[in-house]
Amino acid sequence: MSKYIMFGEELLQWLQNLAKESKVLAPVKEEYGYTFAEWDKKSLPGDDYRNTLKPPKDLFFPQHETLLKYEKIKGENPLVEVPDIPEDKRVIFGIRPCDASSLVLLDNIFMGEDYVDPYYEARRSNTLIVSLVCRTRGKSCFCEDLFSTKGSDILIIKVDGNYLVEILTYRGEAAFKGIGSKEADEKIVKKADKLKRTQEEVLDKDIFEKLRTIYDNPIWKQLQEKCVNCGVCTFLCPTCHCFDITDDKRGKKVRSWDSCMFASFTKQASGHNPRPTGTERLRQRIMHKFYYFPEKYHDIACVGCGRCVEKCPVNLDIRQVIEKIRGCLDEKSLSAI
Amino acid sequence: MSVLNDIKLKAKELLEKGDVDVVIGYAKGTLNGKCTPYFVRNANDVENLVWENGCDINLANYLLKISDKAAVIAKGCDTRSIVNLVKENQLDRERVVIIGASCPSTESCQKCNHPDPVIADVFLQGETKVNNDDFSDLESFSKLPSEERRNYIYKEVSKCIRCYACRNVCPACYCKECFVEENLPAWIGKTTNTSDNMIFHLTRAIHVAGRCVGCGECVRACPMGVDLSILNRKIMKDVKELFNVESGLDLDTKLPLNDYKEDDPQYFLIGGEKCE
Amino acid sequence: MKNPYQPYEMKVEEIITESPEKDLKTFYLSFVTDQDADNFNYIPGQFAEISILGIGEAPFGIASAPCEKGMLSFSVKKVGSLTGALHELEKGDIVGVRGPLGNGWPINQLKGKDLVVIGGGFAFTTLRSLVKYIIEPKNRQDFGNVDIVYGNRNPGQILYKKELIEDWMNRDDINIYLTIDKPSEGWKYQVGFVPQVTEKVIKPSQNAIALVCGPPVMIKFTLPVLKKLGFTSDRIYTSLEMKMKCGIGMCGRCNIGSKYVCKDGPVFSMAELEKLPSEY
C-alpha cells in the first residue's frame, strides 16, 4: 500500500480533520502517566511519551462492562435488557506498534470461529488504529520489531522531524485519502528502512519446545518464590483477557477483568482448586502465553510491551523467567503434554 | 566492615551450619533503583545479596509463604511486621532467625520513625537515622476544607484497577480469603467504580488498623500511583493517641484492637462518647 | 449471530427433591416462548449456564434429552451461592438459561457400539440424558447393547428413582445395575462400590465404549477395572467439572493445557486427557 510524507503541522491538521467525524483518542498525560483519552485537538504526545500506563485492551474490552441490565418486578417476569452495541466511530492515535499487535491476538479470543463477543467486535470494527513507532526501546521493553505493522491501519514513523505515513489497510487508505499529502520520496523511505534494519537484537521469546517438556519441573516453584500473586502483570498485559461475570445488586450483569494469578480464579464452589498455589498459577500464566496460546493460535501471547516488568511490585521480570526457562534442564519432565 | 559484608557472613554461616534452609534478603533488580526479593538456599549465593537504597519491599510477607526454617534480613518495618505476625499467631518466632539491620533506604518513608529493627537475633548496626516522629503531614491535611480532603481520597481511589497488589504485598493482609473474594454474601462489586473501589480501600484501611506499621509497601506496589497512606497514618495516629500504642514495637504489648479493656475509649462506636 | 451472553428465559414447572437430605433437587424448566424452544438444539452431554438475576450464573449439565421437547431439566446440589438460590426457587419462577454449551457425548462415535454407562452420585445427570436419547425408539437401533452401572452411598441418593426403577429396570433393551455402598434394609439390587460392581457385571470387550461420570475417587478406581476389561483409553469417555463463567472459551479459567473444558469439553476421552496436564 501507499506511503506518504507529512511535514510538521500536517499531522495535526489531519488529526483535526479526523476528529470532525470520529472520536479521536490519544495518549494524554495525567499525573501518574499517559492514558488514552479524548484528544485535546491541539497537542501531540511529548518526547517523554513511552507508552500508556494501561494497555489499550481497555478501549475494546473495558475493565468492567455491563452485559445485561435487568429489573425484578414482584409477581411478574423480570425485565431483561441487552445494552446497545457501541456504534461511535473512533480513531486511536499514538498507540505503540506492540500494543496494536496485541489487538490481533485478542481478536482470536473475542472474535473466534464459534463465538463472537458483540461489544468487542463492534468496537474493533468502529476503530481506526493509527500507531506511532517508538524511537528506541524503553528499559523494560522487549518487542521483536519496533516497526511492526500488525494490527495497525496506519503506521507513522518520525524521520528527521517529519512523518513517514505507511498505509496498511483499506480502512487506513480511506482515512487518509484526499488530504493532499505528498507521496513519500525515496530518501525518507530509505532512511526508515535503514532504521528498521538496524534495530538491536532483543530477547527471543520462543520457548515453546522447552515448555513442552518442563510441565512438572521444579523450576516453577523456584520462579514463583517472590511472586505475591497480585494482578498487576495480568491487568497491565495487553493480551491477558481473563474475566469474571457477576451480578451486582443494582440490576446489572457485569463482566470485569479477572486474573489467573488470583487464588479465587479457579476455586470451585466445593472448595477444590486445580491451581491451589502460586506455583500452578505462575506456570499457567507463562504456559498460556508461550505454549497454550501458540498451540491454539500460532502466535505468542506476549508483545514485549514491558508493562509487567515495569510495574511488578517485586520485580519478577518476565524476561528473566523466559531466560531461566530456556536454560533449565528438562531431566525431571513429563513429556505427556 | 560494611553492613552488607556482615549480612553475607551471617547468612553464609546460618546456611552452612544448617541452622536455616533459606535466607530471605534482596538482590539487585532489573530496573534502576529497585532491588528484588532473593531467596538464598546455597551458601555460595550469598554473594548476590545487596543492602542498599531500593531494598524496600517488606520481606515479612514471605515468611508466611514458605514453611522452611528461614532467616530474614530485616529492617525496622519488616521486624515490626514480624512482631505483629507472631502476636497474631501467624508465625512461629522459633522458626525465624532475624538478621536485623538499619534501613538502607535513603529516600522513601520520610515519616519513618523506626528505621532500626525492633527485634533481632543478630543485630548488625547500620547507620541509624534520626527519628522523625511527627504527624505534621496529617495536621496540614486535616486543615484542608472537607471538600478538598474528600476530593483527594476520591481521586486516589478512582485510579485503582483492583489488582490487589497493595493487599498482597501487605504483611498485615494475611487473610486466607479476603472479603473481596467472598460470595456468600458478596460484600463488594467487581467493578472499578469509585463506590466499589472505596469499599475495598476503606475496609482494608480499617482492617489493618492498629496492625499497620506504616512500611509504605502498599503505595510502592501500586502500579497506578494510588497513595492512601494518609488514611493509614491517620488511623495510626488515632491508635497511638487513644490506646498509647505504636504497632509492632515489642512482643509483649497486645495489639490494641485485638484486645478489650473496660476503659477502652469507644467514642467511635454507635452510642459511644462523642468525639470532639 | 446471537449475543452469547443473553440467556433464554425459562419458567420453573416442577421441582423434585431427590435426596432425604434435601440438598439435591431436579428442576424442570419450560421455555417461555416456542421460538426459544426451537432455537435451543442440544445433544446429550452438553451443559447450560443457569442464572438468577442478582445472584449470578453457574454451569450445569443438561439432564433432559432432546426428545423431551419444550423443556430442560437440571439436577442441582446445593453447594454455593447460586445453587443455594436455586434451591429457594418455587414453581412459576423465572430463571435465565444460556446454552447449549460444550461438545456433548460423542454420539457419532457411539453409534453401532455396545455401551457401558457408569455413573456415581449426582453426576448421573448427562448420562441420564444420553440413555434417554438412546432408548428413544427412533434412535435405539443405532446403538448396540447398553449396560448401566449407577452407584450411590445409599438408596436415598439415587437420582430419578421413579424413572430408573419403574421404567428402565423393566426394559429389555437396556441392563441397569443399581448399587449402594453398604447393605440397606429392603434394597434388592447390587451392593458394593461402582468399580467392584462394574468388574462383576460388565463383560470384557474389545470394542465397547464406556462413559463414566462420578466423583474423582470413583473414576480413579473404575479406570483400572475398565482397562482390565479390555477398554482402551480411546474408548473411555468422561465429562469434567471445572469452574466456568463464560462457557464460550473466552474468560480463561477452565483450561487444562490448551483445551477449554467449556468449549472443547466437557466430554473428553481418557486418551485425550492423558495428553493434557493433570490440572483439574
Side-chain angles (χ1 to χ4, degrees), chain A residues 108-159:
Chain A
N108 289 309
I109 309 296
F110 293 112
M111 292 158 47
E113 281 168 24
D114 302 313
Y115 297 101
V116 171
D117 182 293
Y119 309 101
Y120 177 91
E121 186 195 35
R123 295 194 183 99
R124 278 291 273 149
S125 65
N126 297 343
T127 309
L128 179 82
I129 306 288
V130 183
S131 50
L132 193 59
V133 168
C134 299
R135 284 174 303 171
T136 53
R137 280 192 190 82
K139 285 200 181 72
S140 44
C141 295
F142 55 110
C143 71
E144 223 165 69
D145 179 8
L146 282 167
F147 300 84
S148 166
T149 56
K150 203 163 108 186
S152 302
D153 294 302
I154 295 174
L155 188 80
I156 298 181
I157 309 164
K158 200 168 181 182
V159 186

Side-chain angles (χ1 to χ4, degrees), chain A residues 67-68 70-72 77-80 82 85 109-111 113-119 215 241-249 253 255 258 264-270 272 274-275 280 283-284 288 292 295-297 336-337, chain C residues 1-7 9 32 51-57 79-81 83 92 94 98 100-102 241-243 245-260 263-264 274-280:
Chain A
L67 297 177
L68 292 177
Y70 57 86
E71 199 182 333
K72 284 166 129 179
N77 288 357
L79 288 176
V80 179
V82 182
I85 301 295
I109 309 296
F110 293 112
M111 292 158 47
E113 281 168 24
D114 302 313
Y115 297 101
V116 171
D117 182 293
Y119 309 101
Y215 184 80
H241 57 268
C242 290
F243 61 83
D244 196 1
I245 302 176
T246 47
D247 284 34
D248 72 8
K249 305 280 178 242
K253 190 175 280 295
R255 167 172 69 188
D258 207 341
S264 59
F265 187 62
T266 48
K267 193 173 167 194
Q268 298 170 9
S270 64
H272 171 66
R275 295 183 207 134
E280 294 84 21
R283 178 174 64 193
Q284 163 65 19
H288 187 219
Y292 305 152
E295 196 181 36
K296 240 180 154 101
Y297 304 114
I337 60 162
Chain C
M1 201 184 287
K2 189 181 179 304
N3 182 335
Y5 301 112
Q6 194 180 354
E9 277 180 37
V32 170
S51 55
I52 295 185
L53 297 175
I55 306 287
E57 205 174 39
V79 281
S81 58
T83 52
I94 297 286
R98 205 155 57 80
L101 302 165
E241 289 217 13
M242 284 287 257
K243 184 170 178 180
K245 282 287 171 174
C246 72
I248 54 178
M250 292 181 187
C251 80
R253 75 192 60 226
C254 71
N255 72 299
I256 302 174
S258 53
K259 301 282 182 201
Y260 282 111
K263 193 163 155 280
D264 305 312
E274 280 161 11
K275 288 189 200 139
L276 295 174
S278 55
E279 205 169 69
Y280 48 91

Side-chain angles (χ1 to χ4, degrees), chain A residues 23-70:
Chain A
K23 181 174 174 180
V24 176
L25 298 159
V28 170
K29 195 174 185 176
E30 290 187 342
E31 186 190 9
Y32 199 65
Y34 277 91
T35 186
F36 281 110
E38 189 145 10
W39 184 48
D40 64 2
K41 297 190 179 129
K42 52 180 194 248
S43 46
L44 295 174
D47 285 345
D48 63 336
Y49 169 55
R50 169 70 52 200
N51 206 344
T52 51
L53 200 48
K54 275 212 256 180
K57 69 178 177 188
D58 202 20
L59 303 171
F60 299 89
F61 161 53
Q63 171 137 28
H64 58 94
E65 168 157 42
T66 303
L67 297 177
L68 292 177
K69 291 181 200 167
Y70 57 86

